[in-house]
């Protein structure tokens, strides 16, 4: 029996099952046999990555979802639910496109990002933003799918391709409020699961109880095991970055600096209290040789997105090495932002590139805040002043150069190291962490 004949036959059975409320095991077997045929076609063609990914996903049937299929992160891996009525209404090319749609959602961390976006925008605005951000790059999707052209037409917008989800969500939200669309907000549909409804398309995601890190770990394991050397360029970049490792041994590098620094005192039972030595119940104190680590990042226009991404790999390794807090200072010709990090989840999206490179503002900040016992790790392409306007407290700086240039300072007041980025420099644009989604979903292409 040809594919289309099987599909039409199963669709008739699905309508009968919906009517009598009983799901037959024979239907399930035939249905998933048809699904496997589609996956096999993908495995043998240019969509082999998607096919390999799908092989690793558990499958089940649910008639109450309002989209042909929906995927939920579970502890054991991803589980894909199918609504046979909607799914079987699609031809083979549309089904393959829907599979890609689901995997793009997974690879770009949409399950996690949706939770954040729904705190700011309505569900319909978020769902549309998530879908148009990936659908613009997928061919052969069903007619009911939302692409930029359809959203622009229905909401009188002018959304551009390849923009952040936040921009899409914000603009769609404004349009919904301005239009007060009766069709999207007031219509009721009693036949749940029989008609595609984008406003509820991702509702099933709420059933996942996994945290952000767990979802990322599952995505990483599934994607790496599915990758056989062939995948779309953007997804391939994400997969390759999963194995990206720091070039510098930060444990060893910090050991060389930290023993010579003292950061306050710590209590100990091995020494008597100096003020009341006769009191054995009082603890004495010892120098605390665990100074704060400051990480300065050059965010000037001369720093490419590739260099910034590589810097974050190194910074994340530092967070693994250190148990106490790390303070990040972002600076071009002036300090733009200062924040603390303890893990990968604290890293923020790159600040917009603005000015030229100056190192002095960071050293001025250190002096003004009396951070004399801190270790400074400064990531830069090296092109800045020849002399610092503010002299450091001591030679406790580790310079990490990302480009081919030498450090412009005549006196670095510390050690110089280099990392390779192997990427061309770029101008302007938003920062990318497209290749390091495992670490921080707020970076990179904002799908």
């Amino acid at each position: 029996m040809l594919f289309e004949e099987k599909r039409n036959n199963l669709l008739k059975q699905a309508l009968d099952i919906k009517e009598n409320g009983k799901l037959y095991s024979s239907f399930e077997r035939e249905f998933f046999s048809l699904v496997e045929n589609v996956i096999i076609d993908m495995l043998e063609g240019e969509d082999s990555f998607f096919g390999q990914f799908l092989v690793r996903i558990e499958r089940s049937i649910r008639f109450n979802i309002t989209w042909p299929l929906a995927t939920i992160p579970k502890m054991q891996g991803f589980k894909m639910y199918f609504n046979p009525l909607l799914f079987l209404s699609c031809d083979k090319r549309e089904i393959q496109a829907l599979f890609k749609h689901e995997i793009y959602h997974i690879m770009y961390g949409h399950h996690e990002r949706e939770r954040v976006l729904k705190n700011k925008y309505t569900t319909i605005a978020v769902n549309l933003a998530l879908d148009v951000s990936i659908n613009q790059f997928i061919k052969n999707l069903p007619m009911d799918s939302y692409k930029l052209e359809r959203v622009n037409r229905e909401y009188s917008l002018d959304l551009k391709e390849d923009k952040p989800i936040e921009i899409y969500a914000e603009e769609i939200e404004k349009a919904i409020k301005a239009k007060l669309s009766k069709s999207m907000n007031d219509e009721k549909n009693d036949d749940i699961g029989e008609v595609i409804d984008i406003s509820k398309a991702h509702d099933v995601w709420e059933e996942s109880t996994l945290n952000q890190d767990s979802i990322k770990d599952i995505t990483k394991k599934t994607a790496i095991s599915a990758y056989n050397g062939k995948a779309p360029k953007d997804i391939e970049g994400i997969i390759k970055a999963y194995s990206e490792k720091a070039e510098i041994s930060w444990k060893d590098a910090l050991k060389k600096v930290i023993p010579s620094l003292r950061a306050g005192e710590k209590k100990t039972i091995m020494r008597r209290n100096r003020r009341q030595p006769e009191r054995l119940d009082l603890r004495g104190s010892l120098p605390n040789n665990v100074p704060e680590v400051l990480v300065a990042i050059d965010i000037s226009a001369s720093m490419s997105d590739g260099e910034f991404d590589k810097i974050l790999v190194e910074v994340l390794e530092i967070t693994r090495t250190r148990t106490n807090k790390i303070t990040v200072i972002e600076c071009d010709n002036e300090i733009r932002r200062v924040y603390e990090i303890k893990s990968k989840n604290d890293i923020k999206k790159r600040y917009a590139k603005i000015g030229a490179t100056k190192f002095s503002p960071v050293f001025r900040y250190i002096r003004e805040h009396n951070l004399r016992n801190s270790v400074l790790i400064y990531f830069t392409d090296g092109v800045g002043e020849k002399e610092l306007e503010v002299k450091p407290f001591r030679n406790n700086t580790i310079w990490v150069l990302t480009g081919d240039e030498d450090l412009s300072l005549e006196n670095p007041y510390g050690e110089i190291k280099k990392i390779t980025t192997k990427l061309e420099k770029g101008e302007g644009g938003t920062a990318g962490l497209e290749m390091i989604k495992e670490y921080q979903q707020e970076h990179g292409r904002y799908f």
Side-chain angles (χ1 to χ4, degrees):
M1 190 183 295
L2 296 175
F3 179 86
E4 286 303 313
E5 290 180 44
K6 289 182 181 178
R7 182 175 70 86
N8 289 329
N9 181 49
L10 285 168
L11 181 57
K12 292 176 183 177
Q13 293 183 51
L15 289 167
D16 182 60
I17 291 169
K18 178 69 177 177
E19 188 133 342
N20 63 40
K22 186 173 182 181
L23 180 61
Y24 302 101
S25 59
S26 59
F27 173 82
E28 287 189 281
R29 285 195 303 271
E30 290 181 45
F31 177 81
F32 287 121
S33 174
L34 180 114
V35 169
E36 287 166 6
N37 286 338
V38 178
I39 294 174
I40 288 170
D41 283 352
M42 298 178 79
L43 284 169
E44 295 174 346
E46 61 182 16
D47 296 325
S48 59
F49 168 76
F50 296 101
Q52 290 287 351
F53 203 105
L54 289 163
V55 168
R56 292 157 173 80
I57 293 180
E58 186 183 352
R59 301 162 211 157
S60 185
I61 289 175
R62 283 178 66 165
F63 278 85
N64 63 343
I65 58 176
T66 65
W67 193 250
L69 59 164
T71 312
I72 302 178
K74 301 276 189 179
M75 189 61 69
Q76 299 81 10
F78 291 100
K79 187 166 185 176
M80 184 175 285
Y81 293 102
F82 295 78
N83 181 328
L85 290 173
L86 303 179
F87 184 81
L88 293 168
S89 298
C90 304
D91 62 31
K92 182 181 281 189
R93 293 196 307 169
E94 290 172 338
I95 289 171
Q96 291 174 339
L98 287 170
F99 281 144
K100 291 181 184 179
H101 174 96
E102 288 301 301
I103 293 171
Y104 267 101
H105 273 320
I106 293 170
M107 292 301 297
Y108 285 106
H110 284 188
H111 291 85
E112 310 101 89
R113 299 196 67 195
E114 186 242 14
R115 296 175 183 175
V116 177
L117 290 167
K118 283 174 76 172
N119 290 329
K120 295 179 63 178
Y121 308 107
T122 57
T123 300
I124 180 62
V126 173
N127 286 346
L128 287 171
L130 290 170
D131 278 3
V132 299
S133 69
I134 57 175
N135 285 350
Q136 58 190 285
F137 307 109
I138 303 174
K139 296 179 181 179
N140 303 317
L141 282 162
M143 290 293 293
D144 288 316
S145 303
Y146 274 85
K147 288 195 172 186
L148 282 175
E149 299 81 9
R150 180 178 176 183
V151 173
N152 284 337
R153 183 176 65 254
E154 292 188 7
Y155 291 91
S156 302
L157 291 168
D158 187 26
L159 302 177
K160 305 298 183 184
E161 288 187 355
D162 206 7
K163 295 297 180 182
I165 289 178
E166 287 79 7
I167 289 179
Y168 290 144
E170 183 178 0
E171 292 303 312
I172 293 170
E173 179 93 340
K174 289 178 184 176
I176 289 173
K177 289 179 179 178
K179 189 176 180 182
L180 295 175
S181 173
K182 293 287 182 182
S183 61
M184 299 302 292
N185 295 315
D186 294 340
E187 284 187 3
K188 302 294 181 182
N189 176 27
D190 296 326
D191 298 322
I192 297 299
E194 294 185 18
V195 179
I196 286 179
D197 183 356
I198 186 65
S199 68
K200 301 181 181 68
H202 305 137
D203 284 4
V204 70
W205 290 3
E206 296 178 3
E207 296 177 18
S208 176
T209 58
L210 298 184
N211 60 31
Q212 190 177 95
D213 285 342
S214 296
I215 295 174
K216 288 179 180 179
D217 287 341
I218 293 169
T219 303
K220 174 182 175 180
K221 290 174 183 176
T222 309
I224 289 176
S225 64
Y227 181 62
N228 60 359
K230 189 176 181 181
K233 188 176 179 181
D234 47 357
I235 289 180
E236 190 172 52
I238 297 171
I239 297 169
K240 288 182 177 179
Y242 284 147
S243 58
E244 191 84 30
K245 293 180 180 173
E247 291 185 34
I248 297 172
S249 172
W250 287 107
K251 186 175 181 180
D252 294 337
L254 293 171
K255 268 184 181 178
K256 293 179 182 179
V257 182
I258 288 175
S260 62
L261 301 172
R262 295 174 62 174
E265 295 181 331
K266 60 183 178 182
K267 297 296 181 181
T268 176
I269 60 173
M270 302 303 292
R271 178 173 293 185
R272 293 189 180 188
N273 187 284
R274 287 191 299 170
R275 294 186 177 181
Q276 301 182 60
E278 73 284 353
R279 292 279 304 277
L280 299 179
D281 59 315
L282 296 179
R283 293 187 296 172
S285 59
L286 287 170
N288 184 6
N289 292 318
V290 188
E292 181 179 348
V293 173
L294 307 176
V295 174
I297 301 178
D298 178 357
I299 59 167
S300 63
S302 64
M303 293 289 289
S304 72
D305 290 346
E307 287 173 298
F308 187 78
D309 293 348
K310 192 66 174 71
I311 286 170
L312 290 180
V313 174
E314 302 295 324
V315 172
L316 288 164
E317 183 60 28
I318 297 170
T319 65
R320 295 187 184 101
T321 302
R322 306 290 295 164
T323 55
N324 54 330
K325 71 176 181 179
I326 296 169
T327 300
V328 172
I329 305 172
E330 295 181 357
C331 181
D332 44 26
N333 61 325
E334 62 181 271
I335 290 177
R336 301 293 179 179
R337 183 165 60 186
V338 179
Y339 61 96
E340 294 180 1
I341 62 172
K342 290 184 179 179
S343 70
K344 60 190 177 187
N345 296 324
D346 299 322
I347 293 178
K348 299 182 182 297
K349 183 174 69 177
R350 181 181 181 181
Y351 200 89
K353 293 176 281 191
I354 299 175
T357 303
K358 287 193 73 174
F359 306 130
S360 295
V362 173
F363 290 92
R364 185 176 294 110
Y365 177 91
I366 292 172
R367 184 167 288 276
E368 289 175 352
H369 291 79
N370 195 29
L371 300 172
R372 64 176 62 244
N373 293 319
S374 298
V375 176
L376 173 63
I377 302 170
Y378 208 128
F379 290 93
T380 176
D381 59 5
V383 183
E385 310 109 298
K386 288 189 176 180
E387 292 186 16
L388 291 174
E389 298 170 5
V390 180
K391 187 177 179 180
F393 286 115
R394 52 170 62 87
N395 296 346
N396 61 341
T397 300
I398 301 174
W399 296 91
V400 184
L401 305 185
T402 61
D404 298 326
E405 301 287 341
D406 293 326
L407 184 64
S408 60
L409 289 175
E410 294 180 357
N411 185 352
Y413 298 96
E415 183 181 3
I416 300 175
K417 295 181 176 292
K418 282 198 173 189
I419 56 175
T420 56
T421 55
K422 299 178 183 177
L423 290 170
E424 294 180 2
K425 285 184 176 291
E427 296 181 14
T430 56
L433 198 48
E434 177 183 351
M435 296 175 62
I436 315 177
K437 285 280 182 178
E438 174 201 10
Y439 297 141
Q440 174 62 325
Q441 65 190 27
E442 289 296 332
H443 293 80
R445 291 181 71 178
Y446 300 92
F447 290 102

